[in-house]
Amino acid sequence: MDYFKQRRAYRNFKMYEASVSNGQNNLYRELLDYANDEGKLDVQFRMKNSALLSLTGLSEPGLDKARNSLVQLGLIKYIKGKKNVKPPEYRVVKLYGRSTGYPTSNPTTNEKSRSTGLDGVGQPVGQGGGQPVGHKELTSTDLDLTGTDHDEDDAGVTRGDVIDKWTNLWGFPNAIARPEIDEWLDALPADVVDFAITIAGEHQVKATGSLKYMRAVIEGWQKRDISTLDQAKKAAEEHDKRMKSERGAKPTRAKETLPDWAQSGATPTAPRTKLTPEQQAEISARIARLQQNGKTEQEATT
């Protein structure tokens, strides 16, 4: 199976044949990417529920619902596993090469024709079909080949990417944070929420303040009707410029000029008052008397 042909066929499937929810899309893309990475596009493979929960950001009921929908849409084959014994088994159904062409095909194809129109691409994989595939622990996927309904480019961001980034910064989201993250992802594209986490990381927000910080960012964007990555980036840039401008503005102070005596290190002296002749004469007489008294005392002691 050619991965890129399958991707194009899947895009056309969503455009012309059926509506696929975010959860269903994330699950299918993770299964397709894993099968491609492991060279198992044409065979069945096993994958742990815990790995899919982490990668897609779905809850357990959400995973069950999305998986059943993909089976009903004829996108995957699924065999239930045994808890703590063996993981569930999957196989990606080949979509390209069918007789139905795009975009001239009828976009109103009914559900029954969709579910049965894939018979020519292979029979469902049963327990005895083919060689059993040994389980291999999932370690990573190619993030450049995942995406969401908001962005069908190869560099799209999934809900799983958002959870991974949160986990890398602050640890796995707890029972308080996780529901709010899911609400944000329901209201905004995954790449917008992912960018909000990036901003928090750049500002070195600690784990204890992460939820409060994220609430402020997301709620601020929602109040301003920001719903795309470009709008979020522009808002963040404007905020940074505004904060930089406020930090750079300093109050002007009047320049104080020190007096000459302070600048030179000298001490201030009292201004001199000019004496009258009478005052000068009186002072001279006092000095004479003091000098005479001093001489008298000196003669008495000798």
Side-chain angles (χ1 to χ4, degrees):
M1 185 186 303
D2 185 290
Y3 173 78
F4 292 103
K5 288 183 179 179
Q6 182 73 4
R7 280 284 306 275
R8 287 191 290 271
Y10 172 60
R11 183 184 296 115
N12 287 333
F13 179 87
K14 291 190 297 179
M15 291 175 61
Y16 302 113
E17 292 195 44
S19 297
V20 179
S21 70
N22 282 342
Q24 295 163 13
N25 181 72
N26 292 341
L27 177 58
Y28 180 80
R29 292 291 294 273
E30 293 298 344
L31 290 171
L32 178 63
D33 289 347
Y34 177 71
N36 179 62
D37 293 342
E38 298 299 318
K40 298 177 180 179
L41 284 172
D42 297 306
V43 297
Q44 68 268 28
F45 57 90
R46 298 188 187 279
M47 198 165 180
K48 286 183 176 181
N49 285 338
S50 59
L52 288 173
L53 291 173
S54 176
L55 288 168
T56 62
L58 294 169
S59 62
E60 289 188 11
L63 176 61
D64 290 339
K65 183 177 179 180
R67 182 167 50 206
N68 290 337
S69 296
L70 293 180
V71 172
Q72 293 298 319
L73 289 171
L75 295 173
I76 65 171
K77 303 299 180 181
Y78 166 70
I79 299 174
K80 188 175 181 180
K82 293 183 179 180
K83 189 173 182 180
N84 300 324
V85 177
K86 64 178 180 180
E89 192 170 343
Y90 298 90
R91 181 168 182 173
V92 177
V93 175
K94 182 180 175 182
L95 296 178
Y96 65 90
R98 296 181 294 167
S99 58
T100 302
Y102 299 111
T104 58
S105 61
N106 183 6
T108 60
T109 306
N110 59 42
E111 195 71 27
K112 182 177 179 180
S113 64
R114 284 198 297 270
S115 62
T116 59
L118 299 174
D119 295 341
V121 298
Q123 297 300 318
V125 179
Q127 290 286 7
Q131 296 298 321
V133 179
H135 170 65
K136 181 176 181 179
E137 183 69 31
L138 175 66
T139 56
S140 64
T141 59
D142 185 355
L143 298 183
D144 289 335
L145 297 176
T146 57
T148 66
D149 279 345
H150 297 285
D151 186 359
E152 284 302 317
D153 294 334
D154 286 348
V157 178
T158 68
R159 297 170 73 99
D161 295 335
V162 173
I163 300 300
D164 286 344
K165 180 169 286 189
W166 184 290
T167 302
N168 291 336
L169 282 174
W170 305 307
F172 196 79
N174 59 27
I176 298 176
R178 184 55 185 268
E180 291 204 45
I181 297 174
D182 289 337
E183 289 180 5
W184 300 335
L185 288 169
D186 289 339
L188 296 169
D191 56 0
V192 174
V193 180
D194 179 85
F195 181 63
I197 299 175
T198 298
I199 293 175
E202 291 175 348
H203 286 81
Q204 299 180 345
V205 175
K206 303 298 182 183
T208 53
S210 59
L211 188 57
K212 182 178 180 181
Y213 186 93
M214 286 291 296
R215 283 172 182 162
V217 173
I218 297 295
E219 289 174 4
W221 287 350
Q222 289 177 326
K223 289 179 180 178
R224 297 171 60 184
D225 294 327
I226 292 173
S227 59
T228 68
L229 181 58
D230 288 340
Q231 290 174 338
K233 287 182 176 180
K234 184 178 180 180
E237 182 180 355
E238 292 174 351
H239 174 78
D240 289 342
K241 287 182 179 179
R242 184 169 61 254
M243 295 301 295
K244 185 177 181 179
S245 176
E246 291 176 357
R247 287 194 298 267
K250 296 181 179 180
T252 57
R253 296 181 179 180
K255 184 177 180 181
E256 297 180 358
T257 303
L258 295 176
D260 293 340
W261 61 264
Q263 294 178 357
S264 63
T267 56
T269 57
R272 294 183 178 182
T273 303
K274 188 175 181 180
L275 300 176
T276 63
E278 291 79 6
Q279 291 173 331
Q280 184 65 47
E282 183 179 354
I283 292 173
S284 297
R286 288 180 182 178
I287 293 174
R289 286 196 297 270
L290 290 173
Q291 290 176 343
Q292 183 61 38
N293 291 338
K295 290 180 179 180
T296 301
E297 291 178 355
Q298 185 177 6
E299 292 175 353
T301 58
T302 57

